[in-house]
Amino acid sequence: MNIIVCVREVLDPDLPPAKFRVDPESKRVLPPEALPPVINPYDAVAAELALRLKDRYGGKITALTLGDNGQNVVRHVLSMGADDGIVLSDRLFEGSDSFSTAYVLGQAIKKIGSYDLILCGRQAADWDEGLVGPVLAEYLGLPLVTQARSIEVTEQGIVVSRVTIDGHQVFVAPLPALVTVSGVAGQPRLPSGWNIIAAVRKQVPVWSADDIGADPSRVGTAAARRKLVRLFIPERERKCEIVTGETTAEAAVKLATRLRESGIV
Amino acid sequence: MTEKSDILIYGEMAGGRLTTTTRELVSIGRRLSAELGHPLGILLVGAGLATAVAESATLVPGKIYVMDAAALADSDPERNVEAVIAACRRIAPQVILMGHTDVARDIAPRLAVRLEASIVTDCVDVTAEPDTGSLRQMRPVYGGKAMAVWLSEGDRPRIVTVRPRSAAPAEPDISNRGVVINLPADTINPTAKPKLVETVRDQGVSTRLEEAKVIVAGGAGIGGREGFDMVESLARLLGGVTGITRAVSDIGWMPSTLEIGQTGHIVKPDLYIAVGISGASQHLAGCQAAKYMVAINKDPEAYIFTVSDFGVVGDYREALPPLIEKLKALLAA
C-alpha cells in the first residue's frame, strides 16, 4: 500500500493555559519560551495508522507537510518508520486558509503521482477546524471517510470504522481514498533508534509553488475566503473554595457538607 | 428576481424529532434573519419526516424544505451531500447554519467546496452586520485557550457550523405557519461511494448527557478501568451520569461515547464533578457551561481548580469513598 500522510506541527497542546499568550494587535499567538512545537497529535495518530497498515500489508509511507519548519515534523514521522518525506514551502503560501492549504497539498500529491491512501489527522490542535482533509478529498475527487478509528484492507478497497458521538459507523470504500483519523485510532509509536538514524540520513526535498504548478491566485492571504478580525483570551476563571482537612478523607467529608449547605446537592 | 435569499438551517433529527441542536440553530437563525433582513428557512433531508416537518412548522417562520425519500434514511454522508447540494441549487441560500455534529463535520467542508462558500466551524456565537451583510463568527481555538472572530462577507454563500449548547433552543410558536416545500430526491445517486454499511449507536447517550443535571467525570488521573466504579457510584448516588475525558477515551478504559469535550459531548449540567482531570482546555470546552464545578485532583497546581467553584486536593481513591458516604447520609436525612 502506498500511503501519503499529511502532517504538520502545532503549538504544544500541553502548554499550561496560564502560559498561553496572544498579541491582540497582530492577532497572533506568541510562541512560548522553552516549549517547542510538536507534531499535531491527530497527525501522529494518522502516521501510526499508516505504519500499522504498512506492518500488515507492506508498502511505502510518504509524509507530506506544508510549512517553512516542515523538516522537523517530517523527520519525526520518518523516525517513526515512514519511508519518505516532502516539505512544501513558499512565501506565496503565507496566510493561506484551509482551501488554499488543501489546494497546495493536492498539487503536491498530483506531482507525487501514485498512491492508494491519503491519511490526515481529523483536525489540527491549534485552529481546530477539521477542514483540510475533507476539502482535499473534494479537490482530488476521492472517496472520503472522516474520524476513523480503524482501517482494514480488503479486495474491494477499505473497510473503515468511523467514531461518532454515540457509537460508530462502518464504511466501505474503493481505493484510492482519503481518510481522516481520530484520536481513538491508536497510540502513536515513539521514534525508534534505527528509524531515527535512517531519518537523519534521508533527503527531504522542499517543493516551492513553482515545483507543484500552484496557481498564485489560489494561495496566500488574498485568496482567503474570510478574515480574522479578533483574537483574544476569554475570561473564564471562577473563585475556587479549596476544602481542606487533616486528611483527604476529612476534606472530602467537609466537601459533602459544603455542597449540601450550598444547596448544590 | 427581488426575493431575498434564505438563511437556511440544516435540520437534524433523532427518533424522528428535531434535535435540541437544531432548535438552538432556530434561535440563532431567527436573530440573524432579523439582523440581515433575510427570511429564515429549514432544510430536512431523510426519511419519515412528518413529525419533524410538523415541529418545524411551529418553529421556523419561513419555508420548510423537505427531501423525504427511503434512500436518504440512513444518514449516508455521500447521499446527504448530494441531497443538500441539489436543494441548495434550488434555494440558493446565502447562509447555511448547521450544528457542529458528526454529520456536519463530514458534509459541511464538502458543501463549501461545491458551493464555493466560505466556512467557519464550531462557532459559539454568530452575529450579522446589518449595513454590510457580513457575518462575525466567534469560535474557540487552541483547544479553547483563545477565541477567534472571523468575518465573512456576503459576496459568497456562508456556511457556519455551531457548537451545540451555544444558544437556547427555540420554543414553538403555534401561531407560526411555516410553508412546506417538497423537493424531489430523484437526483440522488443511490450507489454513491463510499458506502455506509452499518451504524452502531447507544441511542440514549447524547440525550442522557445533554439532559443530565449532574455529571461526574473521570480523567487520566483515574488510572484505569477499575477506578471508574467509584466515579459511577457517585454519579448514581446524585442521580447523574458518568463522563470521561478524551485521554480516557483514547486509551480505552471507558467507551468513547461518554467523552465530554471539544471532540465529544458538550454539556450544561447544574453540577459537574471532575475527578482526576487536569483541566485541559479542550475538555473544559465541553463542561465549562456547568452551573457549579467541583474538582478532585491530587495536583494542587492542576488548572481545573482555577475554573472550579469547590475543590479538594488529594487522591481520588481517598476522597471519593468518604464523599459518597457523607453525601448518602446527608441526602437521607
Side-chain angles (χ1 to χ4, degrees):
Chain A
M1 284 205 80
N2 251 354
I3 305 175
I4 298 175
V5 185
C6 297
V7 298
R8 71 171 176 83
E9 58 178 26
V10 294
L11 184 150
D12 193 335
D14 289 338
L15 174 71
K19 296 216 160 94
F20 186 79
R21 300 263 182 278
V22 311
D23 173 19
E25 290 297 313
S26 61
K27 300 189 232 31
R28 279 178 206 279
V29 175
L30 299 170
E33 295 162 13
L35 195 64
V38 297
I39 181 171
N40 175 34
Y42 295 109
D43 295 348
V45 180
E48 172 59 30
L49 208 51
L51 288 159
R52 290 185 192 183
L53 288 169
K54 180 183 161 183
D55 289 342
R56 207 161 152 198
Y57 303 105
K60 186 173 99 107
I61 299 170
T62 303
L64 177 64
T65 192
L66 165 57
D68 302 332
N69 288 328
Q71 293 285 338
N72 292 337
V73 69
V74 160
R75 287 200 196 274
H76 180 95
V77 181
L78 288 171
S79 54
M80 285 171 73
D83 301 282
D84 288 309
I86 296 164
V87 173
L88 296 158
S89 174
D90 199 305
R91 208 181 24 86
L92 288 176
F93 300 153
E94 267 163 56
S96 285
D97 66 5
S98 301
F99 296 97
S100 298
T101 300
Y103 167 69
V104 170
L105 291 171
Q107 290 295 107
I109 289 167
K110 285 179 188 165
K111 184 177 161 80
I112 291 169
S114 90
Y115 56 90
D116 297 303
L117 184 63
I118 300 175
L119 295 181
C120 308
R122 62 175 282 175
Q123 65 196 64
D126 48 14
W127 294 95
D128 292 318
E129 301 211 75
L131 294 173
V132 170
V135 170
L136 178 57
E138 276 295 303
Y139 285 160
L140 294 173
L142 293 176
L144 168 73
V145 183
T146 59
Q147 299 171 194
R149 63 178 200 169
S150 70
I151 301 176
E152 302 268 321
V153 181
T154 65
E155 280 184 7
Q156 288 78 37
I158 48 175
V159 178
V160 184
S161 177
R162 172 179 194 248
V163 83
T164 59
I165 204 171
D166 58 2
H168 67 270
Q169 296 172 307
V170 180
F171 289 86
V172 296
L175 293 175
L178 190 148
V179 176
T180 77
V181 178
S182 93
V184 196
Q187 298 291 312
R189 63 194 68 179
L190 294 170
S192 79
W194 193 240
N195 288 321
I196 294 173
I197 294 166
V200 169
R201 293 188 183 146
K202 274 272 148 82
Q203 286 278 27
V204 175
V206 180
W207 289 350
S208 66
D210 264 354
D211 290 329
I212 59 171
D215 171 358
S217 72
R218 291 194 61 178
V219 300
T221 317
R225 296 184 190 189
R226 57 188 191 176
K227 200 170 127 175
L228 182 67
V229 293
R230 197 174 164 213
L231 185 68
F232 65 99
I233 295 177
E235 291 285 319
R236 69 159 53 92
E237 297 185 359
R238 303 184 189 209
K239 194 145 158 37
C240 186
E241 180 186 317
I242 299 280
V243 180
T244 54
E246 296 270 323
T247 60
T248 301
E250 202 185 289
V253 169
K254 272 202 214 161
L255 174 66
T257 306
R258 284 296 291 128
L259 293 178
R260 183 68 169 157
E261 64 196 19
S262 305
I264 295 171
V265 305
Chain B
M1 180 44 76
T2 54
E3 200 176 311
K4 283 188 162 179
S5 55
D6 285 340
I7 295 164
L8 184 68
I9 294 169
Y10 174 79
E12 289 191 52
M13 281 70 66
R17 312 207 52 187
L18 295 180
T19 59
T20 306
T21 303
T22 301
R23 295 197 296 120
E24 291 164 4
L25 296 176
V26 173
S27 297
I28 294 172
R30 284 180 186 167
R31 183 175 42 76
L32 288 178
S33 175
E35 283 168 357
L36 287 172
H38 280 252
L40 182 64
I42 187 167
L43 172 63
L44 303 175
V45 173
L49 298 177
T51 307
V53 171
E55 270 191 289
S56 300
T58 66
L59 285 166
V60 178
K63 300 201 179 75
I64 296 146
Y65 302 97
V66 185
M67 210 183 264
D68 192 332
L72 296 168
D74 62 0
S75 295
D76 181 303
E78 278 302 319
R79 288 201 216 115
N80 265 358
V81 171
E82 291 197 27
V84 178
I85 295 290
C88 285
R89 298 229 189 278
R90 298 173 99 93
I91 302 166
Q94 63 149 291
V95 176
I96 301 171
L97 291 175
M98 310 177 81
H100 193 65
T101 61
D102 290 312
V103 171
R105 277 190 282 262
D106 209 286
I107 73 175
R110 298 195 265 179
L111 291 175
V113 173
R114 298 193 204 180
L115 297 173
E116 295 196 42
S118 70
I119 177 168
V120 184
T121 58
D122 204 18
C123 298
V124 294
D125 191 29
V126 193
T127 55
E129 292 182 350
D131 357 333
T132 60
S134 295
L135 287 185
R136 288 177 68 95
Q137 300 136 113
M138 185 164 82
R139 64 185 304 277
V141 292
Y142 287 83
K145 291 189 190 65
M147 284 288 187
V149 180
W150 293 95
L151 190 76
S152 301
E153 289 171 3
D155 58 339
R156 54 170 85 234
R158 278 81 53 96
I159 298 175
V160 187
T161 79
V162 179
R163 181 175 285 193
R165 314 296 89 76
S166 296
E171 292 301 326
D173 173 5
I174 51 166
S175 68
N176 190 57
R177 288 284 173 267
V179 175
V180 179
I181 297 180
N182 289 301
L183 301 174
D186 50 14
T187 48
I188 311 311
N189 173 7
T191 58
K193 303 168 172 130
K195 197 156 147 348
L196 174 62
V197 297
E198 192 189 352
T199 299
V200 173
R201 310 180 61 184
D202 172 353
Q203 291 278 0
V205 72
S206 291
T207 310
R208 280 200 298 277
L209 282 163
E210 228 171 74
E211 294 181 353
K213 297 258 184 278
V214 178
I215 296 176
V216 184
I222 301 293
R225 170 66 191 86
E226 304 71 37
F228 277 91
D229 289 343
M230 263 186 238
V231 173
E232 287 175 316
S233 289
L234 180 55
R236 262 196 309 274
L237 174 67
L238 297 173
V241 299
T242 303
I244 64 174
T245 62
R246 192 183 83 197
V248 171
S249 168
D250 287 353
I251 296 172
W253 294 334
M254 295 282 278
S256 63
T257 51
L258 301 179
E259 183 189 325
I260 291 170
Q262 185 193 44
T263 52
H265 301 274
I266 311 287
V267 298
K268 213 170 172 172
D270 291 339
L271 172 61
Y272 192 87
I273 303 180
V275 187
I277 292 177
S278 63
S281 318
Q282 62 80 26
H283 178 69
L284 296 181
C287 62
Q288 65 201 2
K291 192 153 167 226
Y292 294 105
M293 291 269 295
V294 175
I296 298 171
N297 195 303
K298 66 181 181 199
D299 176 9
E301 304 294 308
Y303 187 72
I304 191 79
F305 291 117
T306 64
V307 297
S308 295
D309 301 292
F310 292 92
V312 165
V313 180
D315 190 325
Y316 79 92
R317 293 175 194 87
E318 291 166 31
L320 285 194
L323 177 66
I324 291 170
E325 283 314 303
K326 183 65 176 173
L327 283 172
K328 232 184 246 181
L330 290 169
L331 292 170

